[in-house]
Amino acid sequence: MERKIVMIAALLGVSAIILGAFGAHALKKVLTGEQLITFETGVKYQMYHTLFLLFVGLSSQISDLAKKRIFYFIISGILCFSGSIYLLATNDLTSFDFRVIGFITPIGGLLLIIGWICLFVDFLRKKS
């Protein structure tokens, strides 16, 4: 599981950097300042949670069960939270109205929070 987590974290890190550069350069010309800030929020949260996954994958202090749970909550959270933010920020560039999927953003945020809670609970259960 550790290898899978680290490999996925590496891919998410690369994609966050690519999306950040894309937003800073290509989208800067076609999005409003507010839309760019929204897009950057998606990139930030993707990178924060990518680093969290990297920590989880490399840590020997976290149980295998917790690693698995954290992995699935964080991956789902990134896809829902950051993914929906990317689509909502660039909504004006497409013919589809992504505001209909706006309810996914807070669900993604909740999944990210649950991932962190899993880490907390795992450490809480450990005997010192």
Side-chain angles (χ1 to χ4, degrees):
M1 189 71 191
E2 288 86 1
R3 177 177 158 83
K4 180 180 181 179
I5 293 172
V6 171
M7 289 174 63
I8 296 294
L11 290 174
L12 287 169
V14 167
S15 65
I17 292 167
I18 291 169
L19 286 166
F22 179 68
H25 300 288
L27 293 179
K28 188 176 188 178
K29 300 170 188 166
V30 294
L31 296 182
T32 67
E34 186 177 322
Q35 290 168 322
L36 276 174
I37 290 170
T38 300
F39 191 88
E40 289 170 4
T41 298
V43 172
K44 284 181 201 174
Y45 274 79
Q46 180 177 336
M47 185 56 84
Y48 296 154
H49 289 89
T50 294
L51 294 172
F52 178 49
L53 277 181
L54 190 59
F55 163 75
V56 167
L58 295 174
S59 177
S60 61
Q61 301 297 310
I62 304 168
S63 72
D64 290 339
L65 179 60
K67 283 183 181 187
K68 191 173 191 174
R69 287 179 179 164
I70 291 167
F71 175 75
Y72 288 113
F73 280 121
I74 297 299
I75 292 297
S76 301
I78 289 172
L79 289 173
C80 292
F81 184 82
S82 291
S84 65
I85 285 183
Y86 298 143
L87 294 173
L88 290 167
T90 58
N91 192 52
D92 293 346
L93 304 177
T94 67
S95 59
F96 183 79
D97 188 2
F98 287 108
R99 288 178 292 191
V100 299
I101 62 145
F103 69 93
I104 293 175
T105 308
I107 293 170
L110 180 61
L111 293 169
L112 296 172
I113 291 167
I114 292 170
W116 283 93
I117 290 171
C118 287
L119 177 68
F120 178 76
V121 169
D122 190 59
F123 275 95
L124 195 61
R125 289 182 176 165
K126 287 196 181 302
K127 298 190 178 18
S128 47

